[in-house]
Amino acid sequence: MATTVPKGYNSDVEALRQKEYSHMGHGVYLDHSGATIYAKSTVDGFASKMVTGLYGNPHSENSPAKLSGDVVDHVREKMLNFFGANPKDFDLVFVANATAAVKLVADCFRDLAERSRDRKFWYGYHKDAHTSIVGVRELTYGQSYCFENDEQVEEWLQYPENALINRANPNGLGLFAYPGQSNMTGRRLPLSWSWRARHSESLQNTYTLLDAAALAMTYPMENIFQDPDRAPDFTCFSLYKIFGFPDIGALVVRKESGHILTLRKYFGGGTVSMVSTFGDSPWHRSKGLQAPTYKLHEGLEDGTLPFHSILALDEAIDVHLRLYGSMKNISAHTSYLIEHLYRGMTGLRHGNGRPACHIYSENKNFRNPNKQGSAIAFNMLYPSGSYVSYTDVERTANDAGFYIRSGGVCNPGGIASLLGYEPWMTERALSAGHHCGSGGIAVLHQFPTGIVRVSLGAMSTRQDVDSFLDFLRSTFVNTDKDAGLLSAAPTLRSISSNATLEREIDLEMAADINTAPELYTLTRKRSPLRHVPFLSHLRRANKPGMRSPSLPQKNISSGLPSVIR
């Protein structure tokens, strides 16, 4: 009897895993938002080209150099076509990664703003932005604003002259940046904002920058670029998130807006047609300002391009299209898988009825690819409702062969808003010794400082999802109906010795685990249960290997080190 294939799921991927991705057989890879996995055919095809062709520096004029130059021009147009961006309307600048693309745009705006009266430009960014987007604010001399939600952006676009967004001159030079998809939760943001900003009479000097690094991995970008009038002015990509290899990025520039980037100060090799060195007023001529003799990208790609990586990109595009057909197919496939994972995780409950998993999301429609990408942010919960250390979850998963990511995932605004952190709480965490990356404090005053993220890709399978769900169930779910409130894991404290914080959870409210931590009420009261010594966070409560009484014997988390207390 034939097996029914769920709608949207690409069962052919299961065969591809054996033929093209045998190197994934050492575990279950669930960190595609960091970098997806490359196909064997891509590496084989690239290696064949490398050993049969002779490629030189494209800045030279000899035959090997000309071959490299032709490859670069061909792949540039090929990549634009892959995105559904007409080369007549868009140009593509090769960069190291999405962060390099963001910095290139930011530097151009900083340089141009120095020619204005106040020597500043305004910068607005969405709270879901990646750290690299947030960092642009340091170039604005304090004239930046973080939109805390979609509604604030909508209000600003509708009534820009009335918005309180730290903008001294509403008609001055401005840049608004936001992610197409949160790299933390996978939530997809409205793609209409660029068009609305462009057609606002009050925002004619405000440009838009879309961070598509997370979005483009499983989303058909032709939906964005098919109408140049609705497309962002600048869109940045990390192409290894789409193809796995090579490690290269791109900045897609709307040609009608690109001229603003040509006014930057810095120039590198290959971006100028002539440079004077001596004299009282040395000068240079940027290729970016000499259209149509030179194209926009020729004035922005500093130094020798990674032409071997671009050669590999040529192979990667061909293999990707041959294996998957289109990004629409990948979108349907990953949308099915992420909803399947979401439903499975929301169904994880301890024996006492409490949820075992807290999913962080502002979106409940995980099957709609316009609303949700292929990532989920979460934390595991003890039967008491207290949080399992996200570092312990990742460590245990890694030991079991599940490769995920945990921590702040380079999304400070998403962490702060969805975990319920106010500015003073972030400063307290810093003063207590917490920092991003390994070695930070996972749980502070009973609140997590980060999350666990699982992300799926084009080559993910239903078996990957089911195996991970089985791992969570067998490791972190306590089937004991009598598991009580007092079996919470120890947490870091910096409070007086005669006080404790206890979490009071309403069972009915806890049933909806998709809400932010505000569903928990923190109350301060004297604890008759134990005495917490002052500055007890300077030592560990339990030695590694001691099992929490809240976990059943079968759980492999019995060997976890305790959270710092």
Side-chain angles (χ1 to χ4, degrees):
M1 182 177 180
T3 303
T4 302
V5 178
K7 182 179 180 181
Y9 181 68
N10 182 8
S11 59
D12 293 340
V13 171
E14 296 169 7
L16 287 179
R17 283 281 288 268
Q18 301 300 317
K19 181 179 180 181
E20 292 284 352
Y21 301 98
S22 59
H23 45 295
M24 294 180 68
H26 303 292
V28 179
Y29 186 82
L30 299 171
D31 189 25
H32 293 267
S33 289
T36 199
I37 305 301
Y38 49 86
K40 180 179 182 294
S41 292
T42 297
V43 178
D44 290 345
F46 170 56
S48 176
K49 288 181 178 179
M50 287 292 289
V51 298
T52 57
L54 185 61
Y55 301 92
N57 189 319
H59 286 171
S60 298
E61 294 294 332
N62 55 60
S63 295
K66 188 178 186 304
L67 177 60
S68 295
D70 291 343
V71 167
V72 170
D73 291 340
H74 168 70
V75 177
R76 189 188 311 276
E77 184 170 335
K78 190 174 186 176
M79 193 70 246
L80 284 171
N81 289 329
F82 180 89
F83 286 142
N86 192 324
K88 294 181 180 180
D89 302 306
F90 298 93
D91 200 352
L92 185 146
V93 181
F94 284 115
V95 292
N97 47 40
T99 294
V102 171
K103 189 176 185 301
L104 174 60
V105 174
D107 287 345
C108 293
F109 271 75
R110 176 201 56 199
D111 292 348
L112 182 58
E114 290 183 359
R115 305 182 188 185
S116 65
R117 289 183 178 180
D118 60 1
R119 302 179 65 82
K120 302 176 183 178
F121 73 97
W122 174 83
Y123 179 63
Y125 59 97
H126 193 279
K127 61 98 174 174
D128 282 340
H130 188 277
T131 298
S132 299
I133 291 289
V134 178
V136 178
R137 72 186 184 194
E138 301 303 311
L139 305 182
T140 67
Y141 299 99
Q143 195 169 254
S144 64
Y145 183 79
C146 177
F147 292 90
E148 296 185 12
N149 50 55
D150 295 359
E151 290 71 28
Q152 280 193 358
V153 177
E154 295 285 348
E155 184 177 355
W156 165 62
L157 291 172
Q158 187 170 2
Y159 306 107
E161 61 280 354
N162 298 331
L164 300 176
I165 53 172
N166 190 31
R167 189 171 190 176
N169 180 9
N171 297 316
L173 180 63
L175 178 64
F176 170 58
Y178 72 101
Q181 174 181 314
S182 165
N183 70 298
M184 173 184 163
T185 66
R187 183 179 78 93
R188 288 178 171 167
L189 283 69
L191 297 174
S192 60
W193 288 344
S194 295
W195 178 84
R196 292 183 59 188
R198 180 172 300 123
H199 288 274
S200 170
E201 293 184 4
S202 301
L203 298 175
Q204 289 303 297
N205 293 323
T206 299
Y207 294 77
T208 55
L209 168 62
L210 178 70
D211 176 8
L215 177 70
M217 185 181 72
T218 59
Y219 185 79
M221 294 303 295
E222 61 261 30
N223 293 349
I224 294 176
F225 294 124
Q226 61 187 354
D227 183 355
D229 187 48
R230 303 186 70 88
D233 296 304
F234 318 108
T235 308
C236 58
F237 300 89
S238 289
L239 300 180
Y240 52 85
K241 294 180 185 288
I242 304 173
F243 306 111
F245 175 78
D247 303 336
I248 193 172
L251 174 68
V252 173
V253 181
R254 185 172 172 267
K255 285 186 175 180
E256 288 191 7
S257 311
H259 57 87
I260 197 171
L261 302 182
T262 64
L263 299 172
R264 66 174 183 152
K265 291 182 177 181
Y266 178 80
F267 59 91
T271 64
V272 289
S273 59
M274 189 170 289
V275 180
S276 74
T277 303
F278 304 108
D280 295 333
S281 301
W283 52 271
H284 69 277
R285 291 292 178 268
S286 170
K287 290 180 179 179
L289 292 172
Q290 298 181 63
T293 304
Y294 297 100
K295 296 180 181 180
L296 176 66
H297 63 261
E298 294 183 273
L300 297 173
E301 292 174 339
D302 298 311
T304 300
L305 286 172
F307 53 94
H308 293 130
S309 293
I310 294 173
L311 177 66
L313 180 61
D314 185 25
E315 195 68 27
I317 296 172
D318 288 342
V319 171
H320 194 274
L321 291 173
R322 176 170 58 81
L323 296 182
Y324 301 107
S326 70
M327 291 302 299
K328 290 182 179 179
N329 294 337
I330 293 174
S331 177
H333 176 70
T334 54
S335 290
Y336 165 77
L337 287 178
I338 203 65
E339 186 196 33
H340 181 56
L341 176 60
Y342 171 74
R343 289 183 178 276
M345 293 176 73
T346 56
L348 295 176
R349 291 186 174 273
H350 294 293
N352 62 8
R354 298 179 186 274
C357 182
H358 183 153
I359 295 177
Y360 300 95
S361 178
E362 297 169 281
N363 168 47
K364 294 186 179 181
N365 188 355
F366 272 65
R367 191 64 191 272
N368 185 345
N370 294 320
K371 300 290 185 180
Q372 182 67 34
S374 57
I376 291 181
F378 67 98
N379 271 308
M380 298 307 295
L381 298 166
Y382 287 99
S384 63
S386 63
Y387 289 94
V388 180
S389 161
Y390 58 78
T391 56
D392 287 347
V393 174
E394 181 179 13
R395 186 183 305 112
T396 308
N398 189 72
D399 291 344
F402 295 92
Y403 308 127
I404 58 180
R405 182 172 176 179
S406 71
V409 298
C410 293
N411 196 308
I415 290 291
S417 60
L418 288 176
L419 271 63
Y421 271 77
E422 297 181 25
W424 70 267
M425 299 170 72
T426 304
E427 293 188 18
R428 179 179 66 175
L430 179 64
S431 68
H434 175 65
H435 55 80
C436 296
S438 60
I441 302 172
V443 180
L444 179 64
H445 294 278
Q446 296 193 2
F447 274 100
T449 58
I451 52 90
V452 182
R453 186 187 70 192
V454 170
S455 51
L456 309 174
M459 64 292 303
S460 296
T461 65
R462 177 160 179 161
Q463 183 179 353
D464 292 340
V465 173
D466 289 341
S467 297
F468 183 66
L469 288 171
D470 288 343
F471 161 74
L472 292 180
R473 187 178 297 109
S474 63
T475 308
F476 299 104
V477 176
N478 189 334
T479 58
D480 184 2
K481 295 182 179 180
D482 297 324
L485 284 173
L486 304 184
S487 58
T491 57
L492 187 151
R493 302 175 187 277
S494 301
I495 54 180
S496 58
S497 59
N498 63 348
T500 184
L501 292 175
E502 292 186 357
R503 193 178 302 282
E504 296 184 344
I505 308 175
D506 181 274
L507 284 173
E508 294 182 358
M509 294 178 66
D512 183 4
I513 67 173
N514 300 310
T515 58
E518 286 77 9
L519 66 86
Y520 299 132
T521 302
L522 290 178
T523 59
R524 178 173 180 171
K525 51 184 163 182
R526 296 189 178 276
S527 171
L529 305 174
R530 60 183 178 181
H531 186 76
V532 183
F534 184 61
L535 294 181
S536 60
H537 63 286
L538 296 178
R539 60 180 175 83
R540 289 185 179 272
N542 296 321
K543 296 180 180 180
M546 292 186 65
R547 183 172 66 91
S548 167
S550 65
L551 294 173
Q553 187 67 42
K554 67 177 182 178
N555 287 23
I556 59 177
S557 59
S558 61
L560 291 176
S562 301
V563 181
I564 295 177
R565 183 176 176 179

